[in-house]
Amino acid sequence: MKTAPDTAVLSDGGRDRHGRTISYVRISLTDVCNLRCVYCMPEKMTFRKKQELLTDEEVLRLIRLFGGIGFRKVRFTGGEPTLRSSLVEIIRATRETAGIESVGLTTNGILLDNLARPLGEAGLDSVNISIDTLDRDRFREITRWGNLDDVFAGIRAATKEGLRIKLNCVVSRGWNDEQDVLALAALTIDNPWQVRFIELMPFGNNAGFQVGRTVTESELVEKITARFGPLEIQNEGRLDGEARVYRIPGAAGSLGFISPVSRPFCSACNRVRITADGILRLCLLRDEEADFRRRIREGEDDDSLRDALTRAIYRKPWGHDLKSDAFPNKRGMSEIGG
Ligand code: SAM
Ligand code: SF4
């Protein structure tokens, strides 16, 4: 016999056992990438076989189930989600899914120039574009294979399409924590974008690079303040999603700081993740997972899948334990999607 309480708790917008409303799912559409960012994956990377990845139908079925249990926001990520040939169709179908109010994409922007228009027409609301420096040579060093001009062509195309734009910069000590950070912050003076500085997080697959390279929010705020003057805190210090937001006085855009290492925001966490191979990941930085590809491929019906989803989400862990050096080891960031 099914026990009702967990489902009942979640059907009104999704509450976990810690009282948090969980209404946002990030879905990785592939683990493959056309770049090899030094902090994210090694240059020689092995990817999953195509048959291990969720099909379009499987992805959309899960999204319908999420919409039905109170999820309102979907963000597609990867690997590099623009490498999925059916991305536009997936976004269109997601936009039409009952309950889903917001559809976003996180991308390295390399292929966005040609995709921004079809994505906008399909109903994409917002795009987060990763850009760790404005220096062409440094960009090539960090991404190993990337051309900064392609990213800017993507940003221009997304702007033309009217998509909401945020720029993501992962800061790595010794790579982009000096002039690069200041140049990115300066972009917000004339552009209405949010430039977000993300603290480098440790993952088992690339720990050799990551150890000792995290630059904290307070170090960055100090550096940016020294150049541009005191930053104005926005939203009275309340988080916007996972970011604390500031503004350079008079700037058109804003600065976001995502600081899972130095200022964890677990109490405000409202999300879960689906990896490209169909695993529900309950916390980015913990290895607790539930295999939904297996359930789907074993023929479970929607009621049973919904029940399993709500139960798993209800058990979402409180948060990470980086302070005790409990690092996620099962998967790297490119497999989970960030
Ligand atoms: N390829 C897309 C991109 O780069 O935007 C989407 C996937 S990527 C894994 C998502 C985000 O995770 C990017 O903003 C990337 O910079 C960030 N990221 C990757 N490895 C990270 C790490 N170890 N710590 C913090 N952020 C990381
Ligand atoms: Fe690819 Fe994104 Fe990872 Fe860079 S951060 S290697 S673009 S998945």
Side-chain angles (χ1 to χ4, degrees), residues 33 35-37 39-41 79 108 334:
C33 191
L35 299 182
R36 291 288 184 279
C37 302
Y39 50 78
C40 181
M41 57 166 102
N108 60 31
S334 63

Coordinates of all heavy atoms in Angstrom, one line a residue, residues 33 35-37 39-41 79 108 334, ligand 2:
C33 N 31.3 17.7 -24.1 CA 31.6 19.1 -24.2 C 32.5 19.4 -25.4 O 33.4 18.6 -25.7 CB 32.1 19.7 -22.9 SG 32.1 21.5 -22.9
L35 N 34.5 22.0 -25.1 CA 35.6 22.7 -24.5 C 36.2 21.7 -23.4 O 35.6 20.7 -23.1 CB 35.2 24.0 -23.8 CG 34.7 25.1 -24.7 CD1 34.4 26.3 -24.0 CD2 35.6 25.4 -25.9
R36 N 37.3 22.1 -22.8 CA 37.9 21.2 -21.8 C 38.4 22.2 -20.7 O 39.6 22.3 -20.4 CB 39.1 20.4 -22.3 CG 38.7 19.4 -23.3 CD 38.0 18.2 -22.6 NE 37.8 17.1 -23.5 CZ 36.7 17.0 -24.4 NH1 35.9 18.0 -24.4 NH2 36.6 16.0 -25.2
C37 N 37.5 22.9 -20.0 CA 38.0 23.9 -19.0 C 38.8 23.2 -18.0 O 38.5 22.1 -17.5 CB 36.7 24.6 -18.4 SG 35.7 25.4 -19.6
Y39 N 39.4 23.5 -14.9 CA 38.9 23.2 -13.6 C 37.7 22.2 -13.6 O 37.2 21.8 -12.6 CB 38.3 24.5 -12.9 CG 37.4 25.3 -13.8 CD1 36.1 25.0 -13.9 CD2 37.8 26.5 -14.4 CE1 35.2 25.7 -14.7 CE2 37.0 27.2 -15.2 CZ 35.7 26.8 -15.4 OH 34.8 27.5 -16.2
C40 N 37.3 21.9 -14.8 CA 36.1 21.1 -14.9 C 36.4 19.6 -15.4 O 35.8 18.7 -14.8 CB 35.1 21.7 -15.9 SG 33.6 20.8 -16.2
M41 N 37.2 19.5 -16.4 CA 37.5 18.1 -16.8 C 38.9 18.0 -17.4 O 39.5 19.0 -17.9 CB 36.5 17.6 -17.8 CG 36.3 18.4 -19.0 SD 35.4 17.5 -20.3 CE 33.7 18.2 -20.1
G79 N 27.8 18.8 -19.2 CA 28.4 18.9 -20.6 C 27.9 20.2 -21.2 O 27.6 21.2 -20.6
N108 N 28.3 27.2 -22.6 CA 29.6 27.9 -22.8 C 29.5 29.0 -23.9 O 30.4 29.7 -24.2 CB 30.7 27.0 -23.0 CG 30.6 26.1 -24.3 OD1 29.9 26.5 -25.2 ND2 31.1 24.9 -24.2
S334 N 31.0 18.3 -14.9 CA 30.5 18.2 -16.3 C 29.4 17.1 -16.4 O 28.6 17.1 -17.3 CB 31.6 17.9 -17.3 OG 32.2 16.7 -17.1
Ligands
SF4_2 FE1 32.6 22.1 -20.8 FE2 31.2 23.7 -19.3 FE3 32.9 22.0 -18.2 FE4 33.8 24.1 -19.6 S1 32.6 24.1 -17.6 S2 34.5 21.9 -19.8 S3 32.3 24.4 -21.1 S4 31.1 21.5 -19.3

